[in-house]
Short mmCIF file of all heavy atoms in Angstrom, two decimals:
data_model
loop_
_atom_site.label_atom_id
_atom_site.label_comp_id
_atom_site.label_asym_id
_atom_site.label_seq_id
_atom_site.Cartn_x
_atom_site.Cartn_y
_atom_site.Cartn_z
N MET A 1 0.87 -1.22 -0.01
CA MET A 1 -0.06 0.02 -0.03
C MET A 1 0.88 1.27 -0.03
O MET A 1 1.82 1.27 0.74
CB MET A 1 -0.87 -0.04 1.18
CG MET A 1 -1.89 1.03 1.27
SD MET A 1 -3.19 1.11 0.12
CE MET A 1 -4.25 -0.23 0.66
N ILE A 2 0.58 2.22 -0.80
CA ILE A 2 1.33 3.35 -0.94
C ILE A 2 1.03 4.36 0.20
O ILE A 2 -0.02 4.31 0.83
CB ILE A 2 1.20 4.12 -2.23
CG1 ILE A 2 -0.18 4.75 -2.41
CG2 ILE A 2 1.53 3.23 -3.45
CD1 ILE A 2 -0.30 5.90 -3.33
N VAL A 3 1.91 5.30 0.62
CA VAL A 3 1.74 6.28 1.53
C VAL A 3 1.77 7.63 0.79
O VAL A 3 2.74 7.94 0.19
CB VAL A 3 2.85 6.20 2.61
CG1 VAL A 3 2.61 7.40 3.56
CG2 VAL A 3 2.81 4.87 3.36
N VAL A 4 0.59 8.30 0.84
CA VAL A 4 0.55 9.67 0.30
C VAL A 4 1.29 10.67 1.10
O VAL A 4 1.11 10.76 2.28
CB VAL A 4 -0.97 10.07 0.19
CG1 VAL A 4 -1.11 11.46 -0.36
CG2 VAL A 4 -1.74 9.04 -0.63
N PRO A 5 2.20 11.32 0.47
CA PRO A 5 3.03 12.39 1.26
C PRO A 5 2.13 13.41 1.90
O PRO A 5 1.15 13.86 1.31
CB PRO A 5 3.88 13.02 0.12
CG PRO A 5 3.94 12.00 -0.93
CD PRO A 5 2.57 11.31 -0.98
N GLU A 6 2.45 13.71 3.17
CA GLU A 6 1.56 14.64 3.99
C GLU A 6 1.46 16.02 3.25
O GLU A 6 0.32 16.54 3.26
CB GLU A 6 2.20 14.79 5.38
CG GLU A 6 1.92 13.59 6.27
CD GLU A 6 2.34 13.79 7.60
OE1 GLU A 6 2.18 14.95 8.15
OE2 GLU A 6 2.90 12.88 8.19
N GLU A 7 2.50 16.59 2.79
CA GLU A 7 2.48 17.90 2.14
C GLU A 7 1.47 17.86 0.98
O GLU A 7 0.72 18.79 0.75
CB GLU A 7 3.78 18.37 1.79
CG GLU A 7 3.78 19.73 1.24
CD GLU A 7 5.16 20.31 0.74
OE1 GLU A 7 6.22 19.60 0.95
OE2 GLU A 7 5.21 21.35 0.17
N PHE A 8 1.65 16.81 0.21
CA PHE A 8 0.78 16.72 -1.08
C PHE A 8 -0.66 16.62 -0.59
O PHE A 8 -1.58 17.34 -1.12
CB PHE A 8 1.19 15.48 -1.86
CG PHE A 8 0.23 15.29 -3.01
CD1 PHE A 8 0.24 16.06 -4.10
CD2 PHE A 8 -0.64 14.22 -2.96
CE1 PHE A 8 -0.70 15.82 -5.10
CE2 PHE A 8 -1.57 13.98 -4.01
CZ PHE A 8 -1.52 14.81 -5.15
N ALA A 9 -0.93 15.81 0.47
CA ALA A 9 -2.31 15.69 0.93
C ALA A 9 -2.83 17.02 1.40
O ALA A 9 -3.99 17.41 1.08
CB ALA A 9 -2.40 14.60 1.98
N ARG A 10 -2.11 17.72 2.22
CA ARG A 10 -2.46 18.99 2.80
C ARG A 10 -2.83 19.94 1.69
O ARG A 10 -3.82 20.60 1.67
CB ARG A 10 -1.36 19.54 3.69
CG ARG A 10 -1.73 20.83 4.35
CD ARG A 10 -0.61 21.41 5.26
NE ARG A 10 0.59 21.47 4.60
CZ ARG A 10 0.99 22.38 3.64
NH1 ARG A 10 0.13 23.30 3.29
NH2 ARG A 10 2.20 22.33 3.14
N CYS A 11 -1.92 20.15 0.74
CA CYS A 11 -2.13 21.09 -0.38
C CYS A 11 -3.30 20.62 -1.17
O CYS A 11 -4.09 21.62 -1.64
CB CYS A 11 -0.92 21.08 -1.28
SG CYS A 11 0.55 21.89 -0.50
N THR A 12 -3.58 19.40 -1.38
CA THR A 12 -4.65 18.99 -2.24
C THR A 12 -6.01 19.31 -1.48
O THR A 12 -6.95 19.82 -2.14
CB THR A 12 -4.60 17.42 -2.47
OG1 THR A 12 -3.44 17.20 -3.22
CG2 THR A 12 -5.84 16.91 -3.27
N VAL A 13 -6.04 19.07 -0.18
CA VAL A 13 -7.30 19.41 0.60
C VAL A 13 -7.47 20.93 0.62
O VAL A 13 -8.64 21.40 0.48
CB VAL A 13 -7.21 18.78 1.97
CG1 VAL A 13 -8.45 19.28 2.79
CG2 VAL A 13 -7.26 17.23 1.82
N GLU A 14 -6.38 21.64 0.79
CA GLU A 14 -6.54 23.14 0.80
C GLU A 14 -7.08 23.68 -0.51
O GLU A 14 -7.88 24.60 -0.47
CB GLU A 14 -5.17 23.80 1.14
CG GLU A 14 -4.71 23.66 2.54
CD GLU A 14 -3.30 24.22 2.84
OE1 GLU A 14 -2.72 24.71 1.85
OE2 GLU A 14 -2.88 24.18 3.94
N ARG A 15 -6.65 23.07 -1.59
CA ARG A 15 -7.01 23.53 -2.93
C ARG A 15 -8.38 23.04 -3.33
O ARG A 15 -9.21 23.76 -3.94
CB ARG A 15 -5.93 23.08 -3.93
CG ARG A 15 -6.16 23.63 -5.36
CD ARG A 15 -5.11 23.10 -6.33
NE ARG A 15 -5.04 21.70 -6.38
CZ ARG A 15 -4.12 20.84 -5.95
NH1 ARG A 15 -3.03 21.39 -5.39
NH2 ARG A 15 -4.19 19.54 -6.09
N GLU A 16 -8.67 21.71 -3.05
CA GLU A 16 -9.86 21.11 -3.58
C GLU A 16 -10.96 20.81 -2.59
O GLU A 16 -12.11 20.49 -2.95
CB GLU A 16 -9.48 19.73 -4.27
CG GLU A 16 -8.42 19.83 -5.28
CD GLU A 16 -8.80 20.62 -6.51
OE1 GLU A 16 -10.10 20.67 -6.76
OE2 GLU A 16 -7.95 21.22 -7.19
N GLY A 17 -10.70 21.04 -1.33
CA GLY A 17 -11.66 20.82 -0.24
C GLY A 17 -12.02 19.39 -0.04
O GLY A 17 -11.25 18.43 -0.27
N GLU A 18 -13.36 19.11 0.26
CA GLU A 18 -13.79 17.82 0.51
C GLU A 18 -13.67 16.83 -0.69
O GLU A 18 -13.34 15.66 -0.48
CB GLU A 18 -15.34 17.80 0.92
CG GLU A 18 -15.86 16.51 1.35
CD GLU A 18 -15.12 15.78 2.44
OE1 GLU A 18 -14.58 16.44 3.33
OE2 GLU A 18 -14.94 14.58 2.38
N PRO A 19 -13.92 17.29 -1.97
CA PRO A 19 -13.62 16.33 -3.07
C PRO A 19 -12.23 15.85 -3.12
O PRO A 19 -11.90 14.73 -3.41
CB PRO A 19 -14.11 17.18 -4.27
CG PRO A 19 -15.05 18.16 -3.85
CD PRO A 19 -14.59 18.51 -2.42
N GLY A 20 -11.30 16.80 -2.80
CA GLY A 20 -9.90 16.39 -2.70
C GLY A 20 -9.60 15.47 -1.68
O GLY A 20 -8.85 14.50 -1.86
N ALA A 21 -10.15 15.61 -0.47
CA ALA A 21 -9.99 14.74 0.68
C ALA A 21 -10.52 13.24 0.25
O ALA A 21 -9.91 12.20 0.55
CB ALA A 21 -10.63 15.24 1.94
N ALA A 22 -11.68 13.27 -0.36
CA ALA A 22 -12.29 11.99 -0.77
C ALA A 22 -11.34 11.32 -1.82
O ALA A 22 -11.17 10.12 -1.81
CB ALA A 22 -13.71 12.25 -1.35
N TRP A 23 -10.90 12.10 -2.76
CA TRP A 23 -10.00 11.46 -3.75
C TRP A 23 -8.72 10.91 -3.13
O TRP A 23 -8.31 9.80 -3.42
CB TRP A 23 -9.65 12.57 -4.84
CG TRP A 23 -8.70 12.02 -5.89
CD1 TRP A 23 -8.99 11.25 -6.86
CD2 TRP A 23 -7.20 12.38 -5.93
NE1 TRP A 23 -7.82 11.04 -7.63
CE2 TRP A 23 -6.79 11.68 -7.11
CE3 TRP A 23 -6.43 13.14 -5.11
CZ2 TRP A 23 -5.51 11.80 -7.45
CZ3 TRP A 23 -5.08 13.20 -5.58
CH2 TRP A 23 -4.59 12.52 -6.67
N LEU A 24 -8.15 11.68 -2.25
CA LEU A 24 -6.96 11.21 -1.51
C LEU A 24 -7.20 9.92 -0.70
O LEU A 24 -6.40 8.99 -0.64
CB LEU A 24 -6.40 12.31 -0.55
CG LEU A 24 -5.72 13.40 -1.13
CD1 LEU A 24 -5.62 14.58 -0.14
CD2 LEU A 24 -4.40 13.01 -1.76
N ALA A 25 -8.40 9.84 -0.12
CA ALA A 25 -8.75 8.65 0.69
C ALA A 25 -8.81 7.37 -0.17
O ALA A 25 -8.42 6.33 0.21
CB ALA A 25 -10.11 8.78 1.36
N GLY A 26 -9.18 7.48 -1.46
CA GLY A 26 -9.25 6.46 -2.31
C GLY A 26 -7.95 6.22 -3.16
O GLY A 26 -7.81 5.07 -3.82
N LEU A 27 -7.06 7.08 -3.16
CA LEU A 27 -5.90 7.08 -3.99
C LEU A 27 -5.01 5.82 -3.81
O LEU A 27 -4.60 5.18 -4.82
CB LEU A 27 -5.01 8.31 -3.82
CG LEU A 27 -3.85 8.48 -4.81
CD1 LEU A 27 -4.26 8.45 -6.24
CD2 LEU A 27 -3.06 9.75 -4.38
N PRO A 28 -4.71 5.35 -2.54
CA PRO A 28 -3.99 4.11 -2.42
C PRO A 28 -4.56 3.04 -3.13
O PRO A 28 -3.87 2.18 -3.81
CB PRO A 28 -3.84 3.94 -0.94
CG PRO A 28 -3.90 5.30 -0.35
CD PRO A 28 -4.93 6.05 -1.29
N GLY A 29 -5.89 2.80 -3.04
CA GLY A 29 -6.58 1.67 -3.67
C GLY A 29 -6.54 1.83 -5.19
O GLY A 29 -6.39 0.81 -5.92
N ILE A 30 -6.62 3.00 -5.73
CA ILE A 30 -6.57 3.25 -7.15
C ILE A 30 -5.19 2.79 -7.63
O ILE A 30 -5.10 2.13 -8.66
CB ILE A 30 -6.89 4.71 -7.53
CG1 ILE A 30 -8.31 5.04 -7.15
CG2 ILE A 30 -6.58 5.05 -8.90
CD1 ILE A 30 -8.62 6.52 -7.22
N VAL A 31 -4.15 3.28 -6.91
CA VAL A 31 -2.76 2.95 -7.39
C VAL A 31 -2.58 1.46 -7.37
O VAL A 31 -1.94 0.85 -8.26
CB VAL A 31 -1.81 3.71 -6.48
CG1 VAL A 31 -0.33 3.23 -6.75
CG2 VAL A 31 -1.86 5.22 -6.78
N GLU A 32 -2.96 0.81 -6.27
CA GLU A 32 -2.85 -0.67 -6.09
C GLU A 32 -3.51 -1.37 -7.31
O GLU A 32 -2.98 -2.32 -7.92
CB GLU A 32 -3.32 -1.18 -4.80
CG GLU A 32 -2.54 -0.67 -3.57
CD GLU A 32 -1.12 -1.31 -3.52
OE1 GLU A 32 -0.97 -2.48 -3.98
OE2 GLU A 32 -0.29 -0.57 -3.21
N GLU A 33 -4.75 -0.93 -7.66
CA GLU A 33 -5.48 -1.60 -8.73
C GLU A 33 -4.75 -1.36 -10.08
O GLU A 33 -4.59 -2.38 -10.85
CB GLU A 33 -6.93 -1.00 -8.79
CG GLU A 33 -7.84 -1.69 -9.70
CD GLU A 33 -7.80 -1.15 -11.18
OE1 GLU A 33 -7.62 0.00 -11.37
OE2 GLU A 33 -7.95 -2.08 -12.10
N VAL A 34 -4.28 -0.16 -10.30
CA VAL A 34 -3.56 0.03 -11.57
C VAL A 34 -2.19 -0.69 -11.67
O VAL A 34 -1.85 -1.29 -12.72
CB VAL A 34 -3.39 1.60 -11.79
CG1 VAL A 34 -2.46 1.89 -12.94
CG2 VAL A 34 -4.69 2.32 -12.00
N LEU A 35 -1.46 -0.65 -10.54
CA LEU A 35 -0.19 -1.50 -10.51
C LEU A 35 -0.51 -2.91 -10.89
O LEU A 35 0.25 -3.53 -11.65
CB LEU A 35 0.48 -1.35 -9.16
CG LEU A 35 1.04 -0.01 -8.83
CD1 LEU A 35 1.52 0.03 -7.37
CD2 LEU A 35 2.16 0.42 -9.75
N GLY A 36 -1.47 -3.52 -10.29
CA GLY A 36 -1.84 -4.86 -10.53
C GLY A 36 -2.32 -5.16 -11.94
O GLY A 36 -1.85 -6.05 -12.70
N ARG A 37 -3.03 -4.23 -12.54
CA ARG A 37 -3.50 -4.34 -13.91
C ARG A 37 -2.39 -4.30 -14.85
O ARG A 37 -2.33 -5.03 -15.90
CB ARG A 37 -4.53 -3.25 -14.20
CG ARG A 37 -5.16 -3.39 -15.58
CD ARG A 37 -6.13 -2.28 -16.01
NE ARG A 37 -6.74 -1.59 -14.92
CZ ARG A 37 -7.15 -0.33 -14.94
NH1 ARG A 37 -6.82 0.47 -15.98
NH2 ARG A 37 -7.75 0.23 -13.89
N TRP A 38 -1.36 -3.41 -14.63
CA TRP A 38 -0.24 -3.21 -15.51
C TRP A 38 0.95 -4.10 -15.09
O TRP A 38 2.01 -4.08 -15.76
CB TRP A 38 0.19 -1.83 -15.54
CG TRP A 38 -0.84 -0.88 -16.14
CD1 TRP A 38 -1.88 -1.22 -16.98
CD2 TRP A 38 -0.80 0.57 -16.02
NE1 TRP A 38 -2.56 -0.07 -17.31
CE2 TRP A 38 -1.92 1.03 -16.83
CE3 TRP A 38 -0.06 1.45 -15.46
CZ2 TRP A 38 -2.21 2.38 -16.90
CZ3 TRP A 38 -0.37 2.83 -15.54
CH2 TRP A 38 -1.46 3.18 -16.25
N ASP A 39 0.76 -5.00 -14.11
CA ASP A 39 1.86 -5.88 -13.68
C ASP A 39 3.07 -5.15 -13.32
O ASP A 39 4.17 -5.50 -13.75
CB ASP A 39 2.07 -6.92 -14.84
CG ASP A 39 2.89 -8.20 -14.29
OD1 ASP A 39 2.77 -8.37 -13.10
OD2 ASP A 39 3.51 -8.91 -15.11
N HIS A 40 2.82 -4.12 -12.48
CA HIS A 40 3.95 -3.26 -11.96
C HIS A 40 4.05 -3.39 -10.42
O HIS A 40 3.07 -3.74 -9.79
CB HIS A 40 3.74 -1.82 -12.36
CG HIS A 40 3.94 -1.44 -13.72
ND1 HIS A 40 3.63 -2.18 -14.80
CD2 HIS A 40 4.62 -0.31 -14.22
CE1 HIS A 40 3.91 -1.53 -15.96
NE2 HIS A 40 4.59 -0.48 -15.69
N VAL A 41 5.19 -3.11 -9.93
CA VAL A 41 5.37 -3.02 -8.48
C VAL A 41 6.01 -1.65 -8.20
O VAL A 41 6.77 -1.02 -9.00
CB VAL A 41 6.30 -4.15 -7.96
CG1 VAL A 41 5.56 -5.45 -8.10
CG2 VAL A 41 7.61 -4.14 -8.62
N PRO A 42 5.68 -1.10 -6.97
CA PRO A 42 6.29 0.18 -6.63
C PRO A 42 7.78 -0.02 -6.41
O PRO A 42 8.31 -0.99 -6.01
CB PRO A 42 5.68 0.55 -5.29
CG PRO A 42 4.60 -0.44 -5.03
CD PRO A 42 4.77 -1.47 -6.03
N TYR A 43 8.56 1.15 -6.69
CA TYR A 43 9.99 1.05 -6.52
C TYR A 43 10.30 2.35 -5.84
O TYR A 43 10.41 3.47 -6.41
CB TYR A 43 10.67 1.02 -7.87
CG TYR A 43 12.20 1.04 -7.81
CD1 TYR A 43 12.83 -0.22 -7.44
CD2 TYR A 43 12.85 2.08 -8.19
CE1 TYR A 43 14.14 -0.27 -7.45
CE2 TYR A 43 14.32 2.05 -8.09
CZ TYR A 43 14.90 0.89 -7.73
OH TYR A 43 16.35 0.83 -7.66
N GLY A 44 10.41 2.35 -4.54
CA GLY A 44 10.68 3.50 -3.71
C GLY A 44 9.42 4.21 -3.28
O GLY A 44 8.42 3.65 -3.35
N ALA A 45 9.66 5.31 -2.58
CA ALA A 45 8.55 6.08 -1.93
C ALA A 45 7.84 6.90 -3.00
O ALA A 45 8.40 7.25 -4.02
CB ALA A 45 9.06 6.90 -0.82
N VAL A 46 6.56 7.32 -2.60
CA VAL A 46 5.77 8.15 -3.41
C VAL A 46 6.32 9.60 -3.28
O VAL A 46 6.66 9.98 -2.14
CB VAL A 46 4.30 8.21 -2.95
CG1 VAL A 46 3.47 9.23 -3.75
CG2 VAL A 46 3.69 6.81 -3.16
N THR A 47 6.54 10.24 -4.31
CA THR A 47 6.97 11.65 -4.34
C THR A 47 5.91 12.52 -4.89
O THR A 47 4.89 12.06 -5.29
CB THR A 47 8.19 11.82 -5.17
OG1 THR A 47 8.00 11.42 -6.57
CG2 THR A 47 9.46 10.96 -4.73
N HIS A 48 6.10 13.84 -4.87
CA HIS A 48 5.12 14.70 -5.48
C HIS A 48 5.79 16.03 -5.95
O HIS A 48 6.97 16.29 -5.51
CB HIS A 48 3.99 15.08 -4.49
CG HIS A 48 4.45 15.90 -3.36
ND1 HIS A 48 4.28 17.28 -3.41
CD2 HIS A 48 5.07 15.65 -2.18
CE1 HIS A 48 4.78 17.78 -2.24
NE2 HIS A 48 5.26 16.77 -1.56
N GLY A 49 5.15 16.66 -6.83
CA GLY A 49 5.60 17.94 -7.36
C GLY A 49 4.56 18.51 -8.22
O GLY A 49 3.84 17.83 -8.93
N GLY A 50 4.38 19.86 -8.08
CA GLY A 50 3.29 20.43 -8.81
C GLY A 50 1.93 19.99 -8.48
O GLY A 50 1.62 19.99 -7.27
N GLY A 51 1.18 19.50 -9.34
CA GLY A 51 -0.13 19.08 -9.07
C GLY A 51 -0.44 17.56 -8.93
O GLY A 51 -1.61 17.26 -8.80
N GLY A 52 0.50 16.73 -8.89
CA GLY A 52 0.22 15.39 -8.73
C GLY A 52 1.36 14.53 -8.06
O GLY A 52 2.51 14.96 -8.00
N PRO A 53 0.95 13.38 -7.64
CA PRO A 53 1.95 12.49 -6.98
C PRO A 53 2.73 11.72 -8.05
O PRO A 53 2.39 11.60 -9.27
CB PRO A 53 1.13 11.51 -6.15
CG PRO A 53 -0.17 11.42 -6.92
CD PRO A 53 -0.36 12.79 -7.52
N GLY A 54 3.89 11.22 -7.64
CA GLY A 54 4.74 10.43 -8.58
C GLY A 54 5.21 9.15 -7.86
O GLY A 54 5.45 9.15 -6.70
N LEU A 55 5.21 8.06 -8.61
CA LEU A 55 5.64 6.75 -8.12
C LEU A 55 6.47 6.12 -9.14
O LEU A 55 5.99 5.81 -10.19
CB LEU A 55 4.39 5.99 -7.69
CG LEU A 55 4.68 4.58 -7.16
CD1 LEU A 55 5.42 4.64 -5.81
CD2 LEU A 55 3.37 3.80 -6.97
N ASP A 56 7.74 5.82 -8.71
CA ASP A 56 8.50 5.01 -9.60
C ASP A 56 8.05 3.63 -9.60
O ASP A 56 7.75 3.06 -8.50
CB ASP A 56 9.97 5.04 -9.22
CG ASP A 56 10.62 6.43 -9.51
OD1 ASP A 56 10.21 7.18 -10.43
OD2 ASP A 56 11.55 6.82 -8.79
N VAL A 57 7.97 2.97 -10.75
CA VAL A 57 7.48 1.57 -10.77
C VAL A 57 8.39 0.76 -11.73
O VAL A 57 9.15 1.32 -12.53
CB VAL A 57 6.03 1.43 -11.23
CG1 VAL A 57 5.13 2.09 -10.37
CG2 VAL A 57 5.85 1.94 -12.71
N ILE A 58 8.42 -0.50 -11.46
CA ILE A 58 9.07 -1.44 -12.45
C ILE A 58 8.05 -2.51 -12.81
O ILE A 58 7.21 -2.83 -12.01
CB ILE A 58 10.32 -2.06 -11.88
CG1 ILE A 58 10.08 -2.76 -10.55
CG2 ILE A 58 11.44 -0.95 -11.69
CD1 ILE A 58 11.29 -3.51 -9.91
N THR A 59 8.24 -3.05 -13.92
CA THR A 59 7.28 -4.15 -14.26
C THR A 59 7.79 -5.46 -13.74
O THR A 59 8.95 -5.62 -13.54
CB THR A 59 7.16 -4.24 -15.88
OG1 THR A 59 8.42 -4.69 -16.38
CG2 THR A 59 6.83 -3.03 -16.53
N GLN A 60 6.85 -6.33 -13.44
CA GLN A 60 7.26 -7.64 -13.01
C GLN A 60 7.99 -8.38 -14.12
O GLN A 60 8.93 -9.03 -13.85
CB GLN A 60 5.95 -8.49 -12.71
CG GLN A 60 5.12 -7.93 -11.60
CD GLN A 60 5.69 -8.21 -10.28
OE1 GLN A 60 6.58 -8.99 -10.08
NE2 GLN A 60 5.05 -7.67 -9.20
N PHE A 61 7.61 -7.98 -15.42
CA PHE A 61 8.36 -8.57 -16.51
C PHE A 61 9.81 -8.20 -16.49
O PHE A 61 10.73 -9.00 -16.74
CB PHE A 61 7.71 -8.15 -17.82
CG PHE A 61 8.47 -8.59 -19.07
CD1 PHE A 61 8.45 -9.90 -19.48
CD2 PHE A 61 9.33 -7.73 -19.74
CE1 PHE A 61 9.17 -10.33 -20.62
CE2 PHE A 61 10.04 -8.11 -20.85
CZ PHE A 61 9.94 -9.45 -21.31
N ALA A 62 10.10 -6.88 -16.16
CA ALA A 62 11.50 -6.47 -16.05
C ALA A 62 12.29 -7.24 -15.06
O ALA A 62 13.48 -7.60 -15.32
CB ALA A 62 11.59 -4.97 -15.78
N ASP A 63 11.63 -7.52 -13.88
CA ASP A 63 12.36 -8.41 -12.93
C ASP A 63 12.61 -9.75 -13.42
O ASP A 63 13.74 -10.31 -13.21
CB ASP A 63 11.51 -8.50 -11.67
CG ASP A 63 11.47 -7.27 -10.79
OD1 ASP A 63 12.28 -6.35 -11.04
OD2 ASP A 63 10.65 -7.14 -9.89
N ARG A 64 11.63 -10.35 -14.10
CA ARG A 64 11.85 -11.68 -14.68
C ARG A 64 12.83 -11.71 -15.75
O ARG A 64 13.73 -12.62 -15.82
CB ARG A 64 10.53 -12.31 -15.14
CG ARG A 64 9.59 -12.62 -13.97
CD ARG A 64 8.31 -13.33 -14.45
NE ARG A 64 7.42 -12.57 -15.31
CZ ARG A 64 6.42 -11.83 -14.97
NH1 ARG A 64 6.09 -11.74 -13.65
NH2 ARG A 64 5.67 -11.19 -15.78
N LEU A 65 12.86 -10.67 -16.63
CA LEU A 65 13.85 -10.63 -17.67
C LEU A 65 15.22 -10.51 -17.11
O LEU A 65 16.18 -11.14 -17.56
CB LEU A 65 13.57 -9.43 -18.56
CG LEU A 65 14.51 -9.19 -19.82
CD1 LEU A 65 14.54 -10.48 -20.65
CD2 LEU A 65 14.10 -7.95 -20.53
N ALA A 66 15.41 -9.63 -16.10
CA ALA A 66 16.76 -9.42 -15.45
C ALA A 66 17.18 -10.77 -14.89
O ALA A 66 18.37 -11.11 -15.02
CB ALA A 66 16.64 -8.30 -14.42
N GLU A 67 16.39 -11.43 -14.28
CA GLU A 67 16.67 -12.79 -13.69
C GLU A 67 17.18 -13.77 -14.76
O GLU A 67 18.16 -14.48 -14.59
CB GLU A 67 15.54 -13.28 -12.87
CG GLU A 67 15.76 -14.69 -12.16
CD GLU A 67 14.54 -15.17 -11.40
OE1 GLU A 67 13.90 -14.30 -10.70
OE2 GLU A 67 14.22 -16.29 -11.69
N LEU A 68 16.38 -13.81 -15.88
CA LEU A 68 16.77 -14.72 -16.93
C LEU A 68 18.07 -14.37 -17.61
O LEU A 68 18.98 -15.21 -17.88
CB LEU A 68 15.71 -14.71 -18.05
CG LEU A 68 14.36 -15.36 -17.62
CD1 LEU A 68 13.28 -15.13 -18.73
CD2 LEU A 68 14.48 -16.86 -17.38
N LEU A 69 18.34 -13.08 -17.72
CA LEU A 69 19.62 -12.59 -18.36
C LEU A 69 20.72 -12.90 -17.39
O LEU A 69 21.91 -13.30 -17.87
CB LEU A 69 19.60 -11.13 -18.65
CG LEU A 69 18.63 -10.75 -19.82
CD1 LEU A 69 18.50 -9.24 -19.95
CD2 LEU A 69 19.11 -11.34 -21.10
N ALA A 70 20.58 -12.79 -16.18
CA ALA A 70 21.63 -13.08 -15.10
C ALA A 70 21.99 -14.61 -15.23
O ALA A 70 23.18 -14.92 -14.99
CB ALA A 70 21.20 -12.73 -13.76
N ARG A 71 20.97 -15.48 -15.45
CA ARG A 71 21.22 -16.91 -15.53
C ARG A 71 22.03 -17.22 -16.77
O ARG A 71 22.86 -18.09 -16.74
CB ARG A 71 19.97 -17.69 -15.55
CG ARG A 71 19.19 -17.69 -14.23
CD ARG A 71 17.94 -18.54 -14.38
NE ARG A 71 17.09 -18.30 -13.21
CZ ARG A 71 15.89 -18.86 -13.18
NH1 ARG A 71 15.34 -19.52 -14.14
NH2 ARG A 71 15.17 -18.70 -12.08
N ARG A 72 21.81 -16.50 -17.84
CA ARG A 72 22.61 -16.71 -19.07
C ARG A 72 24.09 -16.31 -19.05
O ARG A 72 24.87 -16.79 -19.78
CB ARG A 72 21.94 -16.02 -20.28
CG ARG A 72 20.51 -16.60 -20.58
CD ARG A 72 19.88 -15.98 -21.72
NE ARG A 72 20.58 -16.31 -22.94
CZ ARG A 72 20.52 -15.75 -24.07
NH1 ARG A 72 19.77 -14.63 -24.23
NH2 ARG A 72 21.16 -16.15 -25.14
N ALA A 73 24.38 -15.38 -18.12
CA ALA A 73 25.69 -14.86 -18.08
C ALA A 73 26.71 -15.77 -17.48
O ALA A 73 26.46 -16.73 -16.86
CB ALA A 73 25.70 -13.62 -17.23
#
């Protein structure tokens, strides 16, 4: 489960009010659903800048490919 940065959450609620708070409450679930759909996993902490959060991700495929390539070496 991702952790939404406090500053990002505060700014979002200040700017958007209750709709922003509701969106933030559902954001971890949305991210988890999308990561699963795209076969990605989080890589590092959630960051933010400007108007939105950022999350580095890697594909499960990339992990498997790296493992296969390491075996061939």
Side-chain angles (χ1 to χ4, degrees):
M1 184 68 71
I2 68 159
V3 176
V4 177
E6 286 185 37
E7 182 183 356
F8 174 73
R10 181 183 51 75
C11 291
T12 300
V13 171
E14 286 175 359
R15 184 181 63 247
E16 304 296 333
E18 185 56 37
W23 177 77
L24 285 168
L27 186 57
I30 294 168
V31 171
E32 292 294 322
E33 190 272 324
V34 170
L35 288 174
R37 183 181 336 147
W38 292 344
D39 199 22
H40 284 44
V41 293
Y43 182 75
V46 177
T47 59
H48 70 95
L55 177 63
D56 291 330
V57 297
I58 55 175
T59 66
Q60 298 282 353
F61 175 77
D63 284 347
R64 290 190 293 267
L65 180 58
E67 183 181 312
L68 291 171
L69 291 174
R71 288 184 191 171
R72 292 183 71 198

